[in-house]
Amino acid sequence: MKKATVLATFIALTLSTSTLAMPNKPDPLANTPYFNQTDKGFDLKFTPKNYRTLEVKVGDSLVKFRAFEKIVYVANPIEPDYQTLNIYVPEAYFKGEKINGYSAETAPIFLPNAVGGYMPAKAVTYDAKGFGSGDKPNAIVTALSKGYVVASVGARGRTLEKDGKYTGKAPAAIIDLKAAVRYLHANDNVMPGDAKKIISNGTSAGGALSALLGASGDSNDYTDYLKQAGAAEASDAIFAVSAYCPITNLENADSAYEWEFNGVNEYSRMDMSRLDANSYNDRSQVEKAKIEGTLSADEIKVSDQLKAAFPAYLNSLNLKDEKGNALTLDAQGNGSFKDYMRSVIASAVDKAHKNGASFDGKPWVKVNKDGVSDIDWDGYVHSEKRMKSPPAFDALNLSSGENNLFGTETVNNKHFTAYSLQHSTEKGEMADKQIVKLMNAMNYLDQSKTQHWRIRAGTSDRDTSHAISAILAVKLRMNGKQVDYQTPWGVPHSGDYDLDELFQWIDSISK
Ligand code: DHB
Protein backbone atom coordinates (compact mmCIF):
# COMPACT_ATOMS: atom_id res chain seq x y z
CA MET A 1 0.00 0.00 0.00
CA LYS A 2 1.30 3.44 -0.89
CA LYS A 3 1.69 6.03 1.76
CA ALA A 4 -1.65 7.60 2.49
CA THR A 5 -2.33 11.21 1.71
CA VAL A 6 -3.45 11.91 5.22
CA LEU A 7 -6.12 14.54 5.56
CA ALA A 8 -5.68 16.52 8.71
CA THR A 9 -8.28 16.76 11.38
CA PHE A 10 -11.09 19.00 10.40
CA ILE A 11 -11.90 22.14 12.33
CA ALA A 12 -14.08 25.04 11.34
CA LEU A 13 -11.56 27.79 10.75
CA THR A 14 -10.07 29.07 7.57
CA LEU A 15 -7.89 26.15 6.55
CA SER A 16 -8.88 23.45 4.18
CA THR A 17 -8.32 19.90 5.34
CA SER A 18 -7.57 18.68 1.89
CA THR A 19 -3.96 18.44 0.88
CA LEU A 20 -5.12 19.68 -2.50
CA ALA A 21 -6.99 22.81 -1.62
CA MET A 22 -4.72 24.98 0.44
CA PRO A 23 -6.05 28.52 0.21
CA ASN A 24 -2.62 30.11 0.51
CA LYS A 25 -0.98 27.90 -2.05
CA PRO A 26 -0.10 29.85 -5.15
CA ASP A 27 -2.55 29.22 -7.96
CA PRO A 28 -0.52 28.37 -11.08
CA LEU A 29 -3.33 29.67 -13.27
CA ALA A 30 -3.92 32.89 -11.30
CA ASN A 31 -2.90 35.04 -14.25
CA THR A 32 -4.29 32.83 -16.99
CA PRO A 33 -7.44 34.15 -18.65
CA TYR A 34 -10.59 32.06 -18.45
CA PHE A 35 -10.62 29.56 -21.32
CA ASN A 36 -14.13 30.32 -22.46
CA GLN A 37 -14.79 33.96 -21.63
CA THR A 38 -16.14 35.93 -24.59
CA ASP A 39 -17.63 39.41 -25.07
CA LYS A 40 -21.01 37.80 -24.51
CA GLY A 41 -20.04 35.97 -21.31
CA PHE A 42 -18.96 32.40 -20.72
CA ASP A 43 -19.42 30.15 -23.73
CA LEU A 44 -20.32 26.62 -22.66
CA LYS A 45 -19.26 25.04 -25.93
CA PHE A 46 -15.87 23.34 -25.69
CA THR A 47 -13.41 24.40 -28.37
CA PRO A 48 -10.15 22.48 -28.61
CA LYS A 49 -8.01 25.62 -28.58
CA ASN A 50 -5.67 27.42 -26.17
CA TYR A 51 -4.07 24.33 -24.79
CA ARG A 52 -0.67 23.68 -23.30
CA THR A 53 1.17 20.52 -24.19
CA LEU A 54 2.72 19.02 -21.09
CA GLU A 55 4.38 15.85 -19.99
CA VAL A 56 4.80 13.95 -16.75
CA LYS A 57 6.91 11.02 -15.80
CA VAL A 58 4.97 7.99 -14.65
CA GLY A 59 7.32 5.24 -13.56
CA ASP A 60 9.75 4.88 -16.43
CA SER A 61 7.57 6.34 -19.12
CA LEU A 62 6.71 9.86 -20.13
CA VAL A 63 3.06 10.74 -20.60
CA LYS A 64 2.36 13.62 -22.94
CA PHE A 65 -0.98 15.38 -22.67
CA ARG A 66 -2.90 18.49 -23.66
CA ALA A 67 -4.18 20.80 -20.96
CA PHE A 68 -7.39 22.80 -21.50
CA GLU A 69 -7.55 24.81 -18.33
CA LYS A 70 -9.71 27.25 -16.43
CA ILE A 71 -12.92 26.42 -18.26
CA VAL A 72 -15.79 28.10 -16.42
CA TYR A 73 -18.56 25.49 -16.54
CA VAL A 74 -21.55 27.74 -15.86
CA ALA A 75 -22.81 30.75 -17.77
CA ASN A 76 -23.48 32.79 -14.60
CA PRO A 77 -20.57 32.08 -12.27
CA ILE A 78 -20.58 33.70 -8.85
CA GLU A 79 -17.07 32.54 -8.05
CA PRO A 80 -15.49 31.87 -11.47
CA ASP A 81 -12.11 30.94 -9.98
CA TYR A 82 -13.74 27.95 -8.28
CA GLN A 83 -16.41 27.05 -10.84
CA THR A 84 -13.91 25.70 -13.31
CA LEU A 85 -12.79 22.51 -14.98
CA ASN A 86 -9.27 21.67 -16.12
CA ILE A 87 -9.40 19.07 -18.83
CA TYR A 88 -6.33 16.94 -19.46
CA VAL A 89 -6.22 14.65 -22.49
CA PRO A 90 -3.48 12.16 -23.45
CA GLU A 91 -1.70 13.49 -26.56
CA ALA A 92 -1.91 10.06 -28.20
CA TYR A 93 -5.64 10.61 -28.75
CA PHE A 94 -4.94 13.52 -31.10
CA LYS A 95 -2.93 11.15 -33.30
CA GLY A 96 -5.63 8.51 -33.50
CA GLU A 97 -3.68 6.20 -31.18
CA LYS A 98 -4.98 3.97 -28.40
CA ILE A 99 -3.93 3.70 -24.77
CA ASN A 100 -4.89 0.79 -22.55
CA GLY A 101 -7.47 -0.23 -25.14
CA TYR A 102 -9.17 3.19 -25.12
CA SER A 103 -9.42 5.69 -27.97
CA ALA A 104 -10.39 9.37 -28.12
CA GLU A 105 -14.01 8.25 -28.48
CA THR A 106 -14.10 5.55 -25.83
CA ALA A 107 -11.78 6.85 -23.10
CA PRO A 108 -13.66 7.15 -19.80
CA ILE A 109 -13.58 10.55 -18.09
CA PHE A 110 -12.04 10.57 -14.62
CA LEU A 111 -13.56 13.39 -12.54
CA PRO A 112 -11.58 14.04 -9.36
CA ASN A 113 -12.82 16.80 -7.09
CA ALA A 114 -10.40 18.44 -4.68
CA VAL A 115 -12.94 19.28 -1.98
CA GLY A 116 -11.88 18.84 1.64
CA GLY A 117 -13.76 20.00 4.70
CA TYR A 118 -16.59 21.37 2.55
CA MET A 119 -14.16 24.22 1.87
CA PRO A 120 -13.85 25.98 -1.49
CA ALA A 121 -11.60 24.04 -3.84
CA LYS A 122 -10.00 25.07 -7.08
CA ALA A 123 -9.62 22.50 -9.81
CA VAL A 124 -6.27 20.79 -9.32
CA THR A 125 -3.88 22.21 -11.89
CA TYR A 126 -0.67 21.02 -13.41
CA ASP A 127 2.26 23.12 -12.24
CA ALA A 128 6.02 22.79 -12.19
CA LYS A 129 5.74 20.10 -9.53
CA GLY A 130 3.20 18.03 -11.43
CA PHE A 131 -0.31 17.84 -10.01
CA GLY A 132 0.52 19.06 -6.56
CA SER A 133 2.11 15.86 -5.36
CA GLY A 134 5.67 16.22 -6.54
CA ASP A 135 7.16 12.94 -7.72
CA LYS A 136 4.56 10.78 -6.08
CA PRO A 137 2.10 9.31 -8.55
CA ASN A 138 -1.28 10.83 -7.88
CA ALA A 139 -4.71 10.01 -9.19
CA ILE A 140 -4.57 12.47 -12.11
CA VAL A 141 -1.19 11.36 -13.39
CA THR A 142 -2.14 7.72 -12.97
CA ALA A 143 -5.40 8.28 -14.85
CA LEU A 144 -3.59 9.94 -17.77
CA SER A 145 -1.03 7.16 -17.95
CA LYS A 146 -3.85 4.63 -18.20
CA GLY A 147 -5.57 6.50 -21.02
CA TYR A 148 -8.27 8.35 -19.12
CA VAL A 149 -9.40 11.83 -19.99
CA VAL A 150 -9.19 13.80 -16.75
CA ALA A 151 -11.69 16.49 -15.82
CA SER A 152 -10.27 18.06 -12.68
CA VAL A 153 -13.09 20.04 -11.09
CA GLY A 154 -13.33 22.89 -8.63
CA ALA A 155 -16.33 23.91 -6.54
CA ARG A 156 -17.50 26.62 -4.21
CA GLY A 157 -17.22 25.98 -0.48
CA ARG A 158 -18.57 27.15 2.82
CA THR A 159 -16.13 29.96 3.66
CA LEU A 160 -16.35 31.97 0.44
CA GLU A 161 -17.55 35.54 0.78
CA LYS A 162 -18.17 38.23 -1.81
CA ASP A 163 -19.67 41.70 -1.35
CA GLY A 164 -20.64 40.90 2.24
CA LYS A 165 -22.46 37.70 1.33
CA TYR A 166 -21.51 34.05 1.75
CA THR A 167 -21.34 32.51 -1.70
CA GLY A 168 -20.47 28.88 -1.10
CA LYS A 169 -22.96 27.56 1.45
CA ALA A 170 -24.93 24.38 0.80
CA PRO A 171 -25.94 23.32 -1.77
CA ALA A 172 -23.34 25.31 -3.79
CA ALA A 173 -20.71 22.55 -4.01
CA ILE A 174 -23.04 19.89 -5.37
CA ILE A 175 -24.64 22.35 -7.79
CA ASP A 176 -21.17 23.12 -9.10
CA LEU A 177 -20.16 19.48 -9.53
CA LYS A 178 -23.43 18.77 -11.32
CA ALA A 179 -22.92 21.76 -13.60
CA ALA A 180 -19.46 20.45 -14.48
CA VAL A 181 -20.93 17.04 -15.33
CA ARG A 182 -23.53 18.75 -17.50
CA TYR A 183 -20.73 20.61 -19.31
CA LEU A 184 -19.07 17.26 -20.10
CA HIS A 185 -22.32 15.76 -21.39
CA ALA A 186 -23.18 18.85 -23.41
CA ASN A 187 -19.78 18.73 -25.12
CA ASP A 188 -19.52 14.98 -25.56
CA ASN A 189 -19.51 15.22 -29.35
CA VAL A 190 -16.69 17.74 -29.54
CA MET A 191 -14.49 16.65 -26.64
CA PRO A 192 -12.23 13.62 -26.36
CA GLY A 193 -13.59 11.09 -23.88
CA ASP A 194 -16.93 9.35 -23.40
CA ALA A 195 -19.36 11.29 -21.19
CA LYS A 196 -21.38 8.11 -20.68
CA LYS A 197 -18.37 6.89 -18.69
CA ILE A 198 -17.77 9.59 -16.08
CA ILE A 199 -16.12 8.30 -12.91
CA SER A 200 -16.25 10.68 -9.98
CA ASN A 201 -13.55 10.53 -7.28
CA GLY A 202 -13.27 12.35 -3.96
CA THR A 203 -12.17 12.06 -0.36
CA SER A 204 -13.97 12.93 2.86
CA ALA A 205 -16.25 15.91 2.11
CA GLY A 206 -15.16 15.32 -1.49
CA GLY A 207 -16.09 11.65 -1.06
CA ALA A 208 -19.51 12.65 0.22
CA LEU A 209 -19.98 14.92 -2.80
CA SER A 210 -18.78 12.15 -5.11
CA ALA A 211 -21.43 9.83 -3.65
CA LEU A 212 -24.07 12.54 -3.81
CA LEU A 213 -23.24 13.21 -7.44
CA GLY A 214 -23.82 9.53 -8.20
CA ALA A 215 -26.96 9.24 -6.10
CA SER A 216 -28.73 12.36 -7.34
CA GLY A 217 -27.90 12.35 -11.06
CA ASP A 218 -30.68 14.05 -13.05
CA SER A 219 -32.81 14.63 -9.95
CA ASN A 220 -35.28 17.50 -10.39
CA ASP A 221 -34.56 18.70 -6.86
CA TYR A 222 -31.52 20.62 -8.12
CA THR A 223 -32.97 22.01 -11.35
CA ASP A 224 -33.74 25.55 -10.16
CA TYR A 225 -30.27 26.01 -8.71
CA LEU A 226 -28.67 24.72 -11.91
CA LYS A 227 -30.79 27.05 -14.02
CA GLN A 228 -29.82 29.99 -11.87
CA ALA A 229 -26.13 29.13 -12.22
CA GLY A 230 -26.51 28.90 -15.97
CA ALA A 231 -25.54 25.24 -16.20
CA ALA A 232 -25.68 23.56 -19.61
CA GLU A 233 -28.95 21.85 -20.49
CA ALA A 234 -27.75 18.27 -20.34
CA SER A 235 -27.72 15.22 -18.08
CA ASP A 236 -25.84 15.39 -14.78
CA ALA A 237 -25.82 11.63 -14.30
CA ILE A 238 -22.52 9.77 -13.96
CA PHE A 239 -21.36 6.22 -14.60
CA ALA A 240 -19.43 5.41 -11.44
CA VAL A 241 -18.56 6.71 -7.99
CA SER A 242 -15.32 6.36 -6.09
CA ALA A 243 -15.76 7.70 -2.56
CA TYR A 244 -13.04 7.63 0.09
CA CYS A 245 -14.25 8.06 3.68
CA PRO A 246 -17.37 10.00 2.70
CA ILE A 247 -18.52 12.47 5.36
CA THR A 248 -22.14 12.06 4.33
CA ASN A 249 -25.53 11.51 5.95
CA LEU A 250 -24.86 14.50 8.19
CA GLU A 251 -28.35 14.46 9.73
CA ASN A 252 -27.62 11.06 11.26
CA ALA A 253 -23.86 11.25 11.67
CA ASP A 254 -23.95 12.52 15.27
CA SER A 255 -25.93 9.57 16.56
CA ALA A 256 -23.93 7.14 14.39
CA TYR A 257 -20.71 8.56 15.87
CA GLU A 258 -21.89 8.00 19.43
CA TRP A 259 -23.27 4.56 18.60
CA GLU A 260 -19.71 3.62 17.61
CA PHE A 261 -17.56 5.67 19.98
CA ASN A 262 -19.71 6.02 23.12
CA GLY A 263 -17.49 4.99 26.05
CA VAL A 264 -14.31 6.22 24.34
CA ASN A 265 -13.88 9.36 26.38
CA GLU A 266 -10.38 10.40 25.31
CA TYR A 267 -10.13 12.49 22.19
CA SER A 268 -7.28 13.65 19.98
CA ARG A 269 -7.70 16.32 17.39
CA MET A 270 -5.84 19.10 15.64
CA ASP A 271 -6.12 22.71 16.76
CA MET A 272 -6.23 24.41 13.39
CA SER A 273 -6.02 27.83 15.01
CA ARG A 274 -2.40 27.00 15.83
CA LEU A 275 -1.56 26.16 12.24
CA ASP A 276 -1.26 28.30 9.17
CA ALA A 277 -0.91 27.17 5.59
CA ASN A 278 2.84 26.71 5.95
CA SER A 279 3.04 24.92 9.27
CA TYR A 280 0.16 22.76 8.09
CA ASN A 281 2.55 21.09 5.67
CA ASP A 282 5.14 20.51 8.36
CA ARG A 283 4.60 17.18 10.13
CA SER A 284 6.30 18.23 13.38
CA GLN A 285 4.22 21.41 13.59
CA VAL A 286 1.08 19.43 12.93
CA GLU A 287 1.97 17.01 15.73
CA LYS A 288 2.50 19.95 18.11
CA ALA A 289 -0.93 21.34 17.28
CA LYS A 290 -2.71 18.24 18.53
CA ILE A 291 -5.10 18.72 21.41
CA GLU A 292 -5.66 15.75 23.65
CA GLY A 293 -8.58 15.79 26.05
CA THR A 294 -11.26 13.93 27.91
CA LEU A 295 -15.00 14.34 27.51
CA SER A 296 -16.71 16.23 30.32
CA ALA A 297 -19.62 14.73 32.27
CA ASP A 298 -22.00 16.86 30.20
CA GLU A 299 -20.49 15.64 26.95
CA ILE A 300 -20.78 12.05 28.11
CA LYS A 301 -24.48 12.68 28.75
CA VAL A 302 -24.85 14.06 25.22
CA SER A 303 -23.02 11.00 23.90
CA ASP A 304 -25.43 8.68 25.75
CA GLN A 305 -28.47 10.50 24.39
CA LEU A 306 -27.23 10.54 20.80
CA LYS A 307 -26.24 6.89 20.96
CA ALA A 308 -29.74 6.01 22.15
CA ALA A 309 -31.23 7.70 19.06
CA PHE A 310 -29.29 5.62 16.52
CA PRO A 311 -31.16 2.27 16.60
CA ALA A 312 -34.48 3.87 15.56
CA TYR A 313 -32.81 5.48 12.54
CA LEU A 314 -30.88 2.33 11.60
CA ASN A 315 -33.97 0.14 11.93
CA SER A 316 -35.99 2.55 9.79
CA LEU A 317 -33.70 1.73 6.85
CA ASN A 318 -34.76 -1.95 6.77
CA LEU A 319 -31.27 -3.04 5.81
CA LYS A 320 -30.50 -6.62 4.88
CA ASP A 321 -27.23 -8.47 4.49
CA GLU A 322 -26.29 -10.33 1.30
CA LYS A 323 -28.21 -13.41 2.44
CA GLY A 324 -31.35 -11.39 3.06
CA ASN A 325 -31.07 -11.38 6.85
CA ALA A 326 -32.34 -8.20 8.53
CA LEU A 327 -29.67 -5.90 9.95
CA THR A 328 -31.13 -4.31 13.07
CA LEU A 329 -30.19 -2.91 16.47
CA ASP A 330 -31.89 -3.20 19.84
CA ALA A 331 -32.37 -0.24 22.17
CA GLN A 332 -28.85 -0.76 23.58
CA GLY A 333 -27.34 -0.58 20.11
CA ASN A 334 -26.61 -4.31 19.89
CA GLY A 335 -27.82 -6.73 17.27
CA SER A 336 -27.28 -8.00 13.75
CA PHE A 337 -26.15 -4.64 12.33
CA LYS A 338 -23.40 -4.44 14.94
CA ASP A 339 -22.45 -8.06 14.15
CA TYR A 340 -22.29 -7.08 10.49
CA MET A 341 -19.97 -4.14 11.25
CA ARG A 342 -17.81 -6.44 13.34
CA SER A 343 -17.53 -8.87 10.43
CA VAL A 344 -16.60 -6.06 8.01
CA ILE A 345 -13.75 -4.92 10.27
CA ALA A 346 -12.72 -8.53 11.00
CA SER A 347 -12.37 -9.33 7.32
CA ALA A 348 -10.20 -6.22 6.82
CA VAL A 349 -8.03 -7.35 9.73
CA ASP A 350 -7.86 -10.87 8.27
CA LYS A 351 -6.77 -9.52 4.90
CA ALA A 352 -3.99 -7.49 6.53
CA HIS A 353 -2.98 -10.51 8.60
CA LYS A 354 -2.71 -12.65 5.46
CA ASN A 355 -0.53 -9.91 3.96
CA GLY A 356 1.84 -10.17 6.91
CA ALA A 357 0.60 -7.47 9.32
CA SER A 358 1.27 -8.26 12.95
CA PHE A 359 -1.46 -8.06 15.55
CA ASP A 360 0.75 -8.78 18.54
CA GLY A 361 -0.37 -6.74 21.52
CA LYS A 362 -3.88 -6.47 20.13
CA PRO A 363 -5.83 -8.96 22.20
CA TRP A 364 -9.06 -7.89 20.52
CA VAL A 365 -7.92 -9.63 17.33
CA LYS A 366 -8.76 -13.34 17.52
CA VAL A 367 -6.33 -15.34 15.44
CA ASN A 368 -6.53 -19.08 14.81
CA LYS A 369 -4.71 -21.39 12.39
CA ASP A 370 -6.79 -20.16 9.42
CA GLY A 371 -6.19 -16.49 10.10
CA VAL A 372 -8.28 -13.88 11.91
CA SER A 373 -11.46 -15.59 13.05
CA ASP A 374 -13.10 -12.58 14.68
CA ILE A 375 -12.50 -9.34 16.50
CA ASP A 376 -13.88 -8.01 19.75
CA TRP A 377 -15.85 -4.94 18.70
CA ASP A 378 -15.31 -2.99 21.92
CA GLY A 379 -11.61 -3.81 21.80
CA TYR A 380 -11.41 -2.42 18.29
CA VAL A 381 -13.41 0.71 19.13
CA HIS A 382 -11.26 1.39 22.21
CA SER A 383 -7.97 0.71 20.38
CA GLU A 384 -7.71 4.37 19.35
CA LYS A 385 -9.00 7.65 20.74
CA ARG A 386 -12.06 9.31 19.34
CA MET A 387 -11.53 12.39 17.18
CA LYS A 388 -14.64 14.42 17.87
CA SER A 389 -16.56 15.39 20.96
CA PRO A 390 -20.33 15.05 20.88
CA PRO A 391 -22.23 16.10 18.91
CA ALA A 392 -19.53 15.36 16.34
CA PHE A 393 -21.09 17.34 13.47
CA ASP A 394 -23.92 19.62 14.58
CA ALA A 395 -22.00 21.37 17.37
CA LEU A 396 -24.14 22.86 20.15
CA ASN A 397 -22.18 26.11 19.88
CA LEU A 398 -22.40 26.17 16.05
CA SER A 399 -18.61 25.81 15.72
CA SER A 400 -18.33 22.85 13.37
CA GLY A 401 -17.51 22.93 9.68
CA GLU A 402 -20.90 21.37 9.01
CA ASN A 403 -22.67 24.18 10.91
CA ASN A 404 -20.75 26.48 8.62
CA LEU A 405 -21.76 24.47 5.55
CA PHE A 406 -25.45 24.90 6.33
CA GLY A 407 -25.25 28.68 6.78
CA THR A 408 -26.89 30.96 4.23
CA GLU A 409 -25.86 34.06 2.27
CA THR A 410 -26.33 36.10 5.45
CA VAL A 411 -26.09 33.67 8.39
CA ASN A 412 -22.71 32.01 8.76
CA ASN A 413 -23.61 28.93 10.82
CA LYS A 414 -26.78 26.94 11.38
CA HIS A 415 -27.97 23.77 13.05
CA PHE A 416 -29.21 20.90 10.96
CA THR A 417 -30.46 18.39 13.55
CA ALA A 418 -33.40 18.69 15.94
CA TYR A 419 -31.22 17.51 18.83
CA SER A 420 -28.61 20.24 18.48
CA LEU A 421 -31.18 22.92 17.80
CA GLN A 422 -32.95 21.95 20.99
CA HIS A 423 -29.73 21.85 23.03
CA SER A 424 -28.07 24.80 21.31
CA THR A 425 -25.97 27.05 23.51
CA GLU A 426 -26.27 29.84 20.94
CA LYS A 427 -29.95 30.22 20.08
CA GLY A 428 -28.96 28.84 16.71
CA GLU A 429 -31.32 28.70 13.77
CA MET A 430 -32.27 25.55 11.89
CA ALA A 431 -31.08 25.16 8.30
CA ASP A 432 -33.67 24.86 5.54
CA LYS A 433 -34.88 21.25 5.55
CA GLN A 434 -34.78 20.96 1.77
CA ILE A 435 -31.16 22.17 1.62
CA VAL A 436 -30.13 19.61 4.22
CA LYS A 437 -31.86 16.97 2.11
CA LEU A 438 -30.01 18.10 -1.04
CA MET A 439 -26.62 17.40 0.61
CA ASN A 440 -27.25 13.80 1.65
CA ALA A 441 -26.63 10.97 -0.82
CA MET A 442 -28.84 8.65 1.27
CA ASN A 443 -31.91 10.62 0.21
CA TYR A 444 -31.37 9.81 -3.47
CA LEU A 445 -30.20 6.21 -3.49
CA ASP A 446 -33.57 4.84 -4.59
CA GLN A 447 -33.45 6.87 -7.81
CA SER A 448 -29.72 6.68 -8.54
CA LYS A 449 -28.72 6.09 -12.15
CA THR A 450 -25.12 5.22 -11.20
CA GLN A 451 -24.50 1.48 -11.35
CA HIS A 452 -20.90 1.22 -10.09
CA TRP A 453 -19.72 2.22 -6.63
CA ARG A 454 -16.39 1.91 -4.83
CA ILE A 455 -16.41 2.98 -1.18
CA ARG A 456 -13.43 2.93 1.18
CA ALA A 457 -13.16 3.91 4.84
CA GLY A 458 -10.03 2.81 6.72
CA THR A 459 -10.25 1.09 10.08
CA SER A 460 -8.28 3.95 11.72
CA ASP A 461 -10.62 6.63 10.43
CA ARG A 462 -12.30 8.42 13.31
CA ASP A 463 -13.78 11.36 11.40
CA THR A 464 -17.19 9.75 11.11
CA SER A 465 -18.67 6.44 12.20
CA HIS A 466 -17.89 3.42 10.06
CA ALA A 467 -21.63 2.84 10.09
CA ILE A 468 -22.07 5.80 7.71
CA SER A 469 -20.17 4.22 4.81
CA ALA A 470 -21.51 0.76 5.63
CA ILE A 471 -25.13 1.92 5.51
CA LEU A 472 -24.49 3.63 2.18
CA ALA A 473 -22.89 0.49 0.76
CA VAL A 474 -25.56 -1.91 2.03
CA LYS A 475 -28.41 0.24 0.73
CA LEU A 476 -26.79 0.52 -2.68
CA ARG A 477 -26.28 -3.23 -2.87
CA MET A 478 -29.91 -3.79 -1.89
CA ASN A 479 -30.86 -1.47 -4.76
CA GLY A 480 -29.06 -3.73 -7.22
CA LYS A 481 -25.94 -1.62 -7.65
CA GLN A 482 -22.47 -3.07 -8.05
CA VAL A 483 -20.68 -2.10 -4.83
CA ASP A 484 -17.05 -2.61 -3.89
CA TYR A 485 -16.90 -1.64 -0.21
CA GLN A 486 -13.92 -2.19 2.09
CA THR A 487 -12.44 -0.82 5.29
CA PRO A 488 -8.69 -1.23 4.74
CA TRP A 489 -6.79 -2.07 7.91
CA GLY A 490 -4.90 0.74 9.65
CA VAL A 491 -5.75 3.38 7.08
CA PRO A 492 -6.61 6.76 8.61
CA HIS A 493 -8.87 9.48 7.18
CA SER A 494 -7.40 9.74 3.68
CA GLY A 495 -7.88 8.95 0.01
CA ASP A 496 -6.14 7.90 -3.20
CA TYR A 497 -3.80 5.55 -1.29
CA ASP A 498 -4.50 2.51 -3.46
CA LEU A 499 -4.31 3.86 -7.00
CA ASP A 500 -3.41 0.53 -8.59
CA GLU A 501 -6.51 -1.11 -7.17
CA LEU A 502 -8.65 1.96 -7.88
CA PHE A 503 -7.78 1.97 -11.58
CA GLN A 504 -8.04 -1.82 -11.84
CA TRP A 505 -11.60 -1.41 -10.61
CA ILE A 506 -12.30 1.47 -13.00
CA ASP A 507 -10.87 -0.53 -15.91
CA SER A 508 -12.96 -3.54 -14.90
CA ILE A 509 -16.22 -1.59 -15.08
CA SER A 510 -15.29 0.54 -18.11
CA LYS A 511 -14.15 -2.09 -20.62
C1 DHB B 1 -13.69 16.45 6.41
C2 DHB B 1 -13.35 15.90 7.63
C3 DHB B 1 -14.26 15.95 8.68
O1 DHB B 1 -13.96 15.43 9.88
C4 DHB B 1 -15.50 16.57 8.49
O2 DHB B 1 -16.35 16.63 9.53
C5 DHB B 1 -15.83 17.11 7.25
C6 DHB B 1 -14.92 17.04 6.22
C7 DHB B 1 -12.70 16.40 5.29
O3 DHB B 1 -11.55 16.00 5.54
O4 DHB B 1 -13.06 16.74 4.17
Side-chain angles (χ1 to χ4, degrees):
M1 184 174 289
K2 295 197 180 68
K3 199 170 148 253
T5 310
V6 180
L7 293 185
T9 304
F10 169 85
I11 303 232
L13 299 167
T14 50
L15 286 169
S16 161
T17 53
S18 162
T19 50
L20 300 173
M22 299 307 301
N24 293 352
K25 220 174 121 188
D27 173 4
L29 298 180
N31 300 317
T32 309
Y34 298 115
F35 183 87
N36 54 331
Q37 190 161 27
T38 71
D39 297 344
K40 297 193 198 101
F42 291 97
D43 179 4
L44 298 190
K45 188 159 168 59
F46 177 81
T47 41
K49 56 162 194 186
N50 297 342
Y51 58 86
R52 305 191 274 169
T53 304
L54 300 165
E55 52 189 28
V56 285
K57 223 171 153 214
V58 184
D60 291 333
S61 56
L62 216 50
V63 179
K64 222 172 167 186
F65 59 97
R66 288 190 191 179
F68 306 90
E69 294 165 313
K70 224 166 154 175
I71 303 173
V72 178
Y73 51 65
V74 285
N76 314 321
I78 294 174
E79 298 280 0
D81 285 350
Y82 293 89
Q83 294 170 290
T84 68
L85 275 167
N86 294 334
I87 294 173
Y88 299 108
V89 183
E91 183 66 29
Y93 291 152
F94 298 97
K95 298 187 208 138
E97 292 169 9
K98 288 197 163 187
I99 306 176
N100 188 23
Y102 300 124
S103 67
E105 285 72 42
T106 64
I109 302 176
F110 184 63
L111 179 76
N113 76 65
V115 176
Y118 289 105
M119 296 287 281
K122 291 188 178 171
V124 171
T125 299
Y126 181 89
D127 65 17
K129 290 205 191 100
F131 288 100
S133 64
D135 293 336
K136 264 197 328 188
N138 77 3
I140 295 181
V141 170
T142 307
L144 287 169
S145 74
K146 293 181 187 295
Y148 290 82
V149 168
V150 174
S152 162
V153 62
R156 287 170 293 166
R158 60 187 172 79
T159 53
L160 286 176
E161 263 184 274
K162 189 171 262 175
D163 305 329
K165 285 196 170 154
Y166 300 110
T167 54
K169 301 299 188 184
I174 186 64
I175 300 307
D176 288 352
L177 296 184
K178 281 174 173 293
V181 171
R182 284 180 169 213
Y183 180 95
L184 297 173
H185 279 288
N187 286 293
D188 197 24
N189 289 337
V190 286
M191 246 187 71
D194 179 359
K196 289 190 292 304
K197 295 270 171 68
I198 297 173
I199 300 109
S200 162
N201 184 52
T203 298
S204 194
L209 289 166
S210 185
L212 181 57
L213 198 57
S216 69
D218 289 341
S219 163
N220 289 332
D221 282 7
Y222 304 81
T223 309
D224 290 347
Y225 290 99
L226 287 160
K227 251 201 183 92
Q228 208 179 351
E233 289 289 342
S235 169
D236 49 70
I238 59 171
F239 174 68
V241 166
S242 161
Y244 289 96
C245 48
I247 301 282
T248 188
N249 202 351
L250 297 172
E251 304 93 295
N252 299 293
D254 289 335
S255 63
Y257 201 85
E258 299 316 318
W259 170 76
E260 183 162 344
F261 298 115
N262 178 266
V264 179
N265 295 336
E266 308 286 311
Y267 62 79
S268 173
R269 64 165 170 251
M270 228 81 78
D271 180 2
M272 291 299 232
S273 64
R274 287 196 266 161
L275 291 173
D276 63 20
N278 293 324
S279 52
Y280 180 95
N281 284 325
D282 179 337
R283 284 253 142 255
S284 65
Q285 296 287 327
V286 168
E287 278 304 308
K288 274 192 224 146
K290 268 197 177 158
I291 318 175
E292 311 278 328
T294 307
L295 299 189
S296 67
D298 279 352
E299 286 173 322
I300 290 172
K301 209 169 114 193
V302 171
S303 172
D304 292 346
Q305 289 171 348
L306 287 168
K307 176 187 174 182
F310 187 63
Y313 166 67
L314 187 280
N315 293 336
S316 77
L317 296 170
N318 295 314
L319 300 181
K320 291 194 166 59
D321 71 11
E322 267 158 288
K323 293 189 190 121
N325 301 312
L327 299 174
T328 58
L329 292 174
D330 65 20
Q332 281 68 50
N334 295 317
S336 52
F337 177 75
K338 187 166 166 180
D339 295 340
Y340 171 76
M341 291 305 307
R342 198 181 76 229
S343 73
V344 167
I345 302 294
S347 61
V349 172
D350 183 45
K351 194 171 168 189
H353 184 260
K354 291 197 162 72
N355 286 332
S358 162
F359 292 91
D360 292 350
K362 292 191 168 55
W364 52 272
V365 177
K366 299 174 188 168
V367 184
N368 66 21
K369 64 176 180 11
D370 299 322
V372 173
S373 59
D374 203 353
I375 61 154
D376 172 63
W377 177 256
D378 284 346
Y380 160 64
V381 168
H382 284 264
S383 66
E384 292 181 48
K385 294 180 178 184
R386 66 160 63 218
M387 194 194 117
K388 293 175 175 177
S389 42
F393 295 90
D394 190 352
L396 302 184
N397 64 0
L398 289 171
S399 65
S400 78
E402 287 74 13
N403 294 130
N404 195 238
L405 169 68
F406 287 115
T408 62
E409 277 190 352
T410 51
V411 179
N412 202 12
N413 304 292
K414 287 200 180 191
H415 288 298
F416 49 95
T417 64
Y419 181 93
S420 291
L421 179 72
Q422 199 186 338
H423 296 83
S424 184
T425 58
E426 306 295 316
K427 293 204 177 68
E429 290 171 42
M430 190 70 168
D432 182 294
K433 222 172 128 194
Q434 179 66 10
I435 292 179
V436 177
K437 179 187 175 198
L438 292 176
M439 295 305 288
N440 184 354
M442 291 299 295
N443 297 322
Y444 294 93
L445 297 185
D446 290 343
Q447 63 188 69
S448 171
K449 294 184 168 179
T450 301
Q451 184 58 25
H452 305 282
W453 295 74
R454 186 178 193 269
I455 301 166
R456 291 289 181 274
T459 60
S460 289
D461 200 321
R462 292 279 189 272
D463 279 53
T464 195
S465 168
H466 292 86
I468 294 295
S469 297
I471 290 169
L472 175 66
V474 170
K475 192 100 178 70
L476 284 162
R477 186 193 20 79
M478 288 172 65
N479 286 357
K481 308 300 187 195
Q482 186 238 16
V483 187
D484 177 337
Y485 163 58
Q486 287 185 38
T487 58
W489 164 250
V491 172
H493 191 63
S494 56
D496 294 358
Y497 42 76
D498 54 353
L499 294 176
D500 287 346
E501 290 96 327
L502 172 65
F503 281 97
Q504 265 166 31
W505 177 77
I506 300 179
D507 274 347
S508 78
I509 59 170
S510 302
K511 287 187 177 175

